Amino acid sequence: MPIALLALAIGAFGIGTTEFVIMGLLPQVAAEYGVSIPTAGYLASGYAVGVLIGAPLMTILGTRVSRKTMLMALMGIFVAGNLLSAVAPAFGLMLAGRIVTSLAHGAFFGIGSVVAANLVAPQKRASAIALMFTGLTLANVVGVPLGTLLGQQTSWRLTFAAVAALGVLAVIGVALLIPADEAPSAANKLVHGERGLIRRELAAFRDVQVLLAMAMTVLGFGGVFAAITYIAPMMTEAAGFAESGVTWILVLLGVGMVIGNLVGGRLADRALMPLLHVSLAAVAVVLALFTFAAYSQIAAAVAVVLIGLLGFATVPPLQKRVLDLASGAPTLASAVNVGAFNLGNALAAWLGGLVISGGFGITAPNWVGALMAGSALALAVISGLLERRRAQRPISTTASVTTAGTV
């Protein structure tokens, strides 16, 4: 594999670390700024909203410059946001830093996937993309626990400064290792025109199935985030772990995520919808049980692994579902679905904070997550029924519609 993929993997590692490390540092950040845990949770939900906005916006802007230039610009935004978070004297500025950082998230993975695929022969493209995403999964095993430990032993500000340094390393790697290229839409503009390209991408959102798939993404993965956003206070206040024990809990969560992502990726190519049905149902059940298991250290540790495994087993089929349904114009749909993951994260973090503030207990967000995952399962069933109904339409009717559309 080309060494240029290392630059992309470093960027993915940094992005994955900064997104999830806030979970382990939430108590420290809340204490320093004198805010409640639910209020500190806005640092997770604010990041997620930023990804939702930034993914399509930055992807569209990225068509005007070369992919290499855009990747460097995105990592520059990433570095600036993390530095602002590291030095922010007030909670509002810390939140602003998180939002700035998040703008790079979705577009980096979207554009980086195209770059990775173009670096290798066609038969190796899936492996190249997977290698880039290895940086994201490794962040949950190595980056997040180490970042949490650094923040607990010294200062959480040093954690964000260290992540900014990773971003600088990624910028240097992209500059030195990624081959120069032209703006990706230059050739297409000559044929379709810029407005035609945007209209073609937006047309995918008129398909009810695409919208259902994105709603499943919001609710399905969002349900997982309801629990893991507040994992640190759950483990210290409910399970009775010391702060240092949270680091190892996050390692277990990361191991589960890596396994779930790999298994989900393989199974999604074989039986996508059955995998979604099983994984979403299992996520709902495990999250509901975690409400009670969180009060036992052994049961909590097992549940955390299962949440990571089952939660990330939904990611490949949810993303592939959107790509399959929007195959004619997948770029914007793919970027928006990355934003949909983070919309679910924001919604779950907000709802989780509400139930904690409402006096329902530190483990109450797990019920929120279970209900969200159950709702996603219901949408998956509805989507499958609609798909079968569409497939059962008379051939003559389908043919006439097709003919009419080509006149």
Side-chain angles (χ1 to χ4, degrees):
M1 287 290 177
I3 193 172
L5 291 173
L6 178 61
L8 298 175
I10 291 172
F13 182 87
I15 289 174
T17 300
T18 203
E19 179 182 16
F20 292 109
V21 77
I22 194 64
M23 301 179 306
L25 299 176
L26 217 56
Q28 288 78 20
V29 175
E32 179 161 338
Y33 287 122
V35 300
S36 66
I37 290 293
T39 299
Y42 288 136
L43 297 174
S45 56
Y47 184 97
V49 171
V51 176
L52 177 67
I53 297 171
L57 177 63
M58 293 297 179
T59 299
I60 292 173
L61 291 177
T63 64
R64 301 175 181 271
V65 298
S66 72
R67 295 190 180 104
K68 177 175 180 175
T69 300
M70 192 60 189
L71 287 173
M72 293 175 65
L74 289 169
M75 292 314 297
I77 293 171
F78 174 85
V79 171
N82 277 290
L83 287 177
L84 178 56
S85 297
V87 301
F91 181 78
L93 285 176
M94 171 64 172
L95 180 59
R98 292 286 291 168
I99 294 173
V100 169
T101 303
S102 69
L103 296 177
H105 185 123
F108 182 87
F109 284 112
I111 296 171
S113 295
V114 177
V115 171
N118 290 339
L119 287 172
V120 297
Q123 66 272 20
K124 294 183 178 179
R125 286 180 175 177
S127 298
I129 294 172
L131 186 57
M132 182 191 74
F133 274 90
T134 298
L136 178 64
T137 56
L138 283 178
N140 290 291
V141 179
V142 180
V144 173
L146 286 181
T148 301
L149 183 62
L150 176 63
Q152 291 173 344
Q153 297 299 318
T154 57
S155 167
W156 59 265
R157 295 180 183 276
L158 286 180
T159 298
F160 287 100
V163 175
L166 281 174
V168 173
L169 186 60
V171 171
I172 296 172
V174 170
L176 296 179
L177 301 177
I178 300 295
D181 63 306
E182 296 181 357
S185 62
N188 288 331
K189 285 180 185 176
L190 294 176
V191 179
H192 303 287
E194 188 169 344
R195 291 183 180 179
L197 284 172
I198 295 175
R199 281 197 299 268
R200 189 178 64 176
E201 292 284 346
L202 290 175
F205 297 93
R206 291 199 291 264
D207 189 337
V208 174
Q209 288 284 33
V210 172
L211 298 179
L212 277 174
M214 290 183 176
M216 288 178 342
T217 297
V218 170
L219 295 171
F221 192 72
V224 175
F225 215 75
I228 65 177
T229 296
Y230 301 99
I231 194 73
M234 279 189 209
M235 294 299 93
T236 54
E237 296 180 28
F241 283 104
E243 282 191 352
S244 58
V246 174
T247 300
W248 299 108
I249 289 295
L250 292 176
V251 170
L252 293 177
L253 179 65
V255 169
M257 288 177 175
V258 172
I259 296 172
N261 188 57
L262 293 174
V263 173
R266 289 191 176 186
L267 295 180
D269 285 328
R270 302 177 185 176
L272 190 149
M273 291 306 289
L275 172 62
L276 272 180
H277 292 157
V278 172
S279 58
L280 289 172
V283 166
V285 171
V286 171
L287 286 174
L289 292 176
F290 190 42
T291 307
F292 310 102
Y295 290 93
S296 164
Q297 291 188 352
I298 295 177
V302 173
V304 164
V305 174
L306 291 176
I307 289 170
L309 191 155
L310 295 169
F312 265 68
T314 68
V315 174
L318 287 170
Q319 185 72 1
K320 188 174 186 296
R321 177 73 172 166
V322 170
L323 290 175
D324 289 346
L325 293 169
S327 57
T331 307
L332 187 58
S334 176
V336 171
N337 199 53
V338 172
F341 279 106
N342 287 273
L343 175 60
N345 297 351
L347 178 62
W350 176 65
L351 291 174
L354 281 183
V355 294
I356 293 175
S357 298
F360 292 96
I362 196 65
T363 63
N366 297 321
W367 282 116
V368 173
L371 290 173
M372 290 179 71
S375 299
L377 174 61
L379 291 180
V381 172
I382 293 171
S383 179
L385 292 174
L386 291 176
E387 194 168 52
R388 283 194 291 273
R389 182 178 297 179
R390 180 181 295 181
Q392 292 171 356
R393 288 177 181 174
I395 296 178
S396 57
T397 301
T398 305
S400 64
V401 171
T402 304
T403 304
T406 58
V407 173

